[in-house]
Amino acid sequence: MRYLVYGAGAVGSLIGGTLARSGLEVGFLVRPPRAQLLKARGLTIAHQGESFNLGRAPIITDVGQLEGTFQPELVLLTVKAYDCSGAAADLKRLPGSVPVVSFLNGVGSEAILKAALGSGRVIAATLTSSVRVTGALVILERSRGVGIVTGHPAADRLAADLTRADVRVRRYANADSMKWSKLAINLLGNASSAILGWPVDRIFANRALYRLEHEALREALKVMRALGHPVVSLPGVPMRLLATLVQLPAWLVRPLIGGRVAGGRGEKMPSFYYDLEHGRSELDWLHGAVLRSAHELGVHAPANQTLFDTLSLLLAEPAQRPEFAGRPAELIRRAAANGVPGMPRV
């Protein structure tokens, strides 16, 4: 099968590079600056002291360049959620009805893609491996795997190709359960890290900040239950166990949950931290998605509201970022004022 990776950041570079290494035809559609870099240096994937350079893969900067050069049978969409609408409009220009696999974080992107392309062309998927990119170097820090929703022949072929490339693959019948379970794990430490400029292990070492994260996860799981989406474990991520543990007192499970989540990220800061520097964020697809459903269902979600409002403020008013950087007291004060349980008075 011939693959087109739409967006060669950390996720797209890892998945596309892994498939190419196994001998499959893989092309990359990227922005011009990254296209120049990849053409000059090639894409290198490093993991556990070993590295592999992809060499000369087809690299384009516009869908229109595909005609007559590289005809994909499947598109792997790996852009940020805030770029989904633009990507959907772009993918409508593809000849034929090539299926699109959505690896986007959060909840809501698949609906955008289905509205633009038709529901029969969209396949939901998720990556749980921890990966970061530096220029043309992709560093795989924690290899976990890929989740793919069943029900489309192209999903079966992708699963088979990934398995042959030594990627752990798990299949899911319920796309909502898979995407919401991934959303829940993505929440932990993400917004707080961006707000404070701290790594996740430092967030979780602070009792009040951990309690804020604990409550945000409990709220998300409560919303999932109200929506009727069962929690599912993800490749390398025992989400069902985590969902059970988080119902216990925060002080009891903080060492276990904090160590697992912080260690699972490797040395990489969460995505919200990096995106804040560029003035954009997937916040609306994560905490925002929780809040929209919570409001519709009548579920109280003060922890998610605190994190959403605070990070939204910093996105809209960058001059206020120094007031929060390295200073947890204001975030904790806001959480207490919103009624998040267990918050001390500061």
Side-chain angles (χ1 to χ4, degrees):
M1 181 177 283
R2 289 186 303 278
Y3 293 95
L4 174 67
V5 177
Y6 191 114
V11 174
S13 295
L14 175 65
I15 297 173
T18 300
L19 289 169
R21 184 179 186 179
S22 70
L24 294 164
E25 293 183 72
V26 181
F28 296 88
L29 192 155
V30 297
R31 293 187 176 94
R34 185 148 181 81
Q36 293 177 4
L37 179 67
L38 295 180
K39 287 177 180 179
R41 300 185 186 178
L43 181 67
T44 298
I45 298 174
H47 179 53
Q48 295 182 339
E50 297 183 356
S51 63
F52 165 74
N53 187 277
L54 187 59
R56 293 186 175 277
I59 297 172
I60 63 171
T61 57
D62 187 85
V63 168
Q65 297 172 356
L66 288 171
E67 193 168 354
T69 58
F70 185 85
Q71 298 297 321
E73 298 173 89
L74 188 63
V75 174
L76 308 181
L77 183 62
T78 61
V79 299
K80 294 285 190 176
Y82 47 70
D83 287 327
C84 181
S85 294
D90 208 17
L91 289 170
K92 290 177 70 173
R93 299 165 52 205
L94 279 174
S97 55
V98 181
V100 175
V101 181
S102 170
F103 282 93
L104 280 62
N105 281 333
V107 170
S109 294
E110 284 75 23
I112 293 172
L113 293 168
K114 289 177 180 179
L117 307 174
S119 59
R121 289 180 60 185
V122 180
I123 302 165
T126 190
L127 175 76
T128 53
S129 298
S130 178
V131 57
R132 59 189 173 95
V133 62
T134 303
L137 176 63
V138 179
I139 302 171
L140 175 58
E141 296 191 326
R142 296 286 187 276
S143 180
R144 296 189 184 91
V146 168
I148 305 174
V149 172
T150 59
H152 194 292
D156 297 333
R157 295 181 65 184
L158 173 60
D161 284 344
L162 287 169
T163 300
R164 283 193 290 269
D166 294 326
V167 176
R168 179 192 302 179
V169 177
R170 187 162 183 169
R171 307 296 301 278
Y172 298 91
N174 187 322
D176 289 324
S177 284
M178 181 191 73
K179 299 297 285 194
W180 272 93
S181 295
K182 180 62 169 14
L183 175 151
I185 196 65
N186 280 151
L187 291 181
L188 287 171
N190 212 340
S192 294
S193 178
I195 293 165
L196 300 173
W198 284 0
V200 174
D201 59 351
R202 190 172 181 185
I203 300 287
F204 282 24
N206 181 296
R207 184 171 62 182
L209 293 176
Y210 171 77
R211 185 61 187 268
L212 176 60
E213 299 295 333
H214 186 98
E215 292 300 325
L217 178 57
R218 290 185 65 174
E219 292 167 6
L221 294 172
K222 188 174 182 179
V223 167
M224 284 186 67
R225 288 193 297 272
L227 290 170
H229 304 326
V231 175
V232 294
S233 290
L234 302 164
V237 180
M239 192 59 213
R240 292 183 65 183
L241 173 61
L242 182 60
T244 299
L245 291 175
V246 80
Q247 303 306 321
L248 299 174
W251 63 267
L252 180 64
V253 296
R254 178 160 65 105
L256 179 59
I257 294 178
R260 178 176 288 275
V261 173
R265 290 190 181 275
E267 299 180 2
K268 187 182 77 166
M269 293 285 281
S271 61
F272 282 9
Y273 171 84
Y274 297 107
D275 284 348
L276 181 61
E277 295 302 312
H278 298 96
R280 305 188 73 181
S281 179
E282 294 181 307
L283 178 65
D284 200 44
W285 285 263
L286 292 165
H287 293 284
V290 173
L291 290 173
R292 284 191 295 276
S293 291
H295 293 160
E296 292 172 2
L297 297 163
V299 174
H300 192 44
N304 280 278
Q305 192 72 62
T306 299
L307 292 166
F308 181 89
D309 289 346
T310 306
L311 187 51
S312 294
L313 171 67
L314 301 188
L315 285 163
E317 301 183 30
Q320 295 207 33
R321 293 176 191 174
E323 299 298 318
F324 290 85
R327 300 178 177 182
E330 178 59 18
L331 179 60
I332 295 169
R333 185 197 67 76
R334 286 167 172 259
N338 280 344
V340 177
M343 290 293 105
R345 297 196 177 276
V346 294

